[in-house]
Amino acid sequence: VMPESMDIIEFIDSDERFGPTGALKPGSGRTDLKEWQKSVQSLLRTLQRPRYVATGLLPEFQQLDARHAFMKNHQLPPYDKAEWKEMATEEKLRIYAEVMSSDPVPMIEELNAKLVQLDDILYSENYCTEGGLSLDDIDLWARLRSITIIKGVVWPDRLRKYMDNMSQLGDIPLYDELAM
């Protein structure tokens, strides 16, 4: 059984074979962050997923078969996993193409407003939660990084600094230059 990403991170951070341990504080259990993430789930799936495969520039999507496999296994709203699984591949490709060709402005405006809400609950430009770098940051930043593939997003100042700081700290680039 393949562990979840956060389980892998916790394992590495607690095992001396991988270097110094305890770099990450545990997750805080902040419900406001989880509620925010849930409030944008469908919106982000609709905006991000088609852009991942449309760029063709991310290493994991350079091959057509990889893009098709992603579309086959990652549903777009309003479909749930069960409905998506039953759908023909050609129908899934058509839906992805329709979403990508539709006007994203209303959804981007909604996302921009949601980012302002997140900026209001972000602890600082360095950490999302009081107390320092934690599993909250790993979870939140990974989700927010995906937003950088969406052209036209307006980042509130503190949230953008947070994104840039975490990118530098982790030596993981954002997708700004690939944004569509």
Side-chain angles (χ1 to χ4, degrees):
V1 172
M2 181 69 164
E4 293 292 326
S5 300
M6 294 301 280
D7 295 331
I8 296 167
I9 291 166
E10 287 182 64
F11 174 76
I12 290 171
D13 190 48
S14 66
D15 191 319
E16 292 179 354
R17 294 177 296 170
F18 300 105
T21 61
L24 298 171
K25 307 254 186 279
S28 68
R30 284 183 62 183
T31 57
D32 57 344
L33 290 176
K34 292 297 179 193
E35 288 168 6
W36 183 87
Q37 290 173 2
K38 188 172 182 170
S39 79
V40 296
Q41 183 179 37
S42 290
L43 182 64
L44 294 183
R45 284 180 178 176
T46 304
L47 286 167
Q48 294 166 342
R49 289 179 174 178
R51 283 164 175 75
Y52 288 147
V53 295
T55 68
L57 297 175
L58 295 172
E60 59 269 38
F61 297 121
Q62 288 182 346
Q63 302 298 318
L64 182 61
D65 287 346
R67 293 192 297 274
H68 284 187
F70 182 86
M71 289 183 277
K72 179 181 175 188
N73 295 310
H74 292 85
Q75 79 272 13
L76 292 176
Y79 303 99
D80 64 25
K81 282 186 179 186
E83 291 173 305
W84 196 258
K85 188 176 182 179
E86 297 301 318
M87 205 178 287
T89 300
E90 295 76 23
E91 180 69 4
K92 294 173 187 178
L93 298 177
R94 184 191 62 73
I95 292 168
Y96 263 78
E98 280 181 8
V99 169
M100 194 61 204
S101 66
S102 67
D103 180 9
V105 170
M107 287 186 291
I108 292 172
E109 289 172 351
E110 181 182 350
L111 176 58
N112 288 340
K114 292 288 192 178
L115 291 173
V116 170
Q117 292 172 1
L118 179 60
D119 189 71
D120 289 343
I121 63 173
L122 194 71
Y123 175 71
S124 75
E125 62 189 45
N126 295 307
Y127 314 112
C128 68
T129 302
E130 187 174 4
L133 187 65
S134 72
L135 290 173
D136 291 352
D137 292 296
I138 303 304
D139 184 38
L140 181 64
W141 187 82
R143 295 170 195 274
L144 293 175
R145 179 182 183 229
S146 298
I147 295 172
T148 63
I149 202 164
I150 305 166
K151 190 175 186 171
V153 170
V154 178
W155 292 89
D157 188 53
R158 180 172 46 173
L159 188 55
R160 183 59 208 210
K161 287 178 183 172
Y162 173 79
M163 294 299 296
D164 293 338
N165 289 339
M166 291 294 290
S167 175
Q168 183 177 12
L169 181 64
D171 194 25
I172 300 171
L174 300 173
Y175 299 133
D176 296 309
E177 294 189 22
L178 304 176
M180 313 176 65

